[in-house]
Amino acid sequence: MARDLTKEKVVQKAAELANELGDVHQLKLKDLAAALDIKVPSLYNHVKGSAGLIDALRIHALSELSGILQDAMVGKISEEALVAAAQSYRTFAHANPGIYQLVIQAGEPGSEVERIGKNSLSFLLLILGSFGLQGDEALHVVRGFRSLLHGFVSLELAGGFGLDLDLDQSFERLIKDYISGIQNL
Amino acid sequence: MARDLTKEKVVQKAAELANELGDVHQLKLKDLAAALDIKVPSLYNHVKGSAGLIDALRIHALSELSGILQDAMVGKISEEALVAAAQSYRTFAHANPGIYQLVIQAGEPGSEVERIGKNSLSFLLLILGSFGLQGDEALHVVRGFRSLLHGFVSLELAGGFGLDLDLDQSFERLIKDYISGIQNL
DNA sequence: ATTTATAAACTAATTTAATTAGTTTGTCAA
DNA sequence: TTGACAAACTAATTAAATTAGTTTATAAAT
């Protein structure tokens, strides 16, 4: 046999399909195999079943998000950098509604996921330094910032906001209020 | 046949099992039926399959959360009321790790879920009034507050916080910073 | 040019879960 | 005592994931 199918192509296609479906758990191996024009058991040559596919998609999603955030922040400081990061985070979620949910889990010590997470963390800590935040102070704020980003976008993706009220404005206001809050120590 | 099994008992048991498992989607009808000492198809006399069970659990969870929040806020104003609501929200999530995730979806117009949501919303708007927030301003802040609560507790439940740093402190700090932020209009 | 090893496909069979159809049975009310 | 209904049951179907074992195409080694 030997077509030019690789793990990367399998994961890429799975990400596309999951994003079309809006939820990675809606994607069945049957659908993925069909899209790749192979039979289901052949997928096992590339990923360790559905659990292995999810793991691979998590790394795929995290790498992408991490890159996007760093691109958004590079060359900026303090408020401008945080606002740019927030906007990019939300844009990533909108563009990846199916796999977004995979980025929230912290990695096991020593894992690829942990490595990517630490990388983004150190970038954010650099920015928070420009606010005068250091040590545990800064770490608490990173947790807070992540919480509000994840909370907003996950509610948005889940259809959690029922009111007829502009979402962009709500998001902008949330980020502004929080940044304002961390400045009044 | 006719044992004294009711829909309420089915849902109650399902909630218990889901919370033990930590994720409602890990709960299989087989396990629920076994815990109730009936066969799987008999569950269909009480709920419309697994989708119907999820719907019922969502209403169960939302009602409980809504009651808890109102109890926490009643008789308090401004910052004190918001802090109490935040603590209760997080406590609810810790006590209900399996079904917590069901509370984030807004209800269809006319649904029970929408009714409960509107009820909690009006309560929160009352509190925000004591901050001088009204109209769309207040609605944006309700969205923000919900976002940070949901973001923090869902990251916490999903094992999203990897660092060895006190979670209670992170949460307290987040709430304080946000409340501080909405006061500097 | 032929053989051989390997990766990647395949078919077939199993397991688990949810669902539907159709049947039985116990309780309560007429 | 009969008749109706709710709630249980068994049996069969469907969907999905997985595992085992087999085939085949390519590419390297003789």
Side-chain angles (χ1 to χ4, degrees), chain B residues 1 39 42 45-46:
Chain B
M1 298 289 154
K39 303 293 178 180
S42 304
N45 291 317
H46 302 285

Side-chain angles (χ1 to χ4, degrees), chain A residues 89-105:
Chain A
Y89 189 98
R90 182 164 174 243
T91 300
F92 171 80
H94 290 173
N96 296 274
I99 59 172
Y100 165 73
Q101 58 173 120
L102 300 178
V103 306
I104 74 170
Q105 242 146 308

Side-chain angles (χ1 to χ4, degrees), chain A residues 1 39 42 45-46:
Chain A
M1 298 290 156
K39 304 293 179 179
S42 305
N45 290 317
H46 303 286

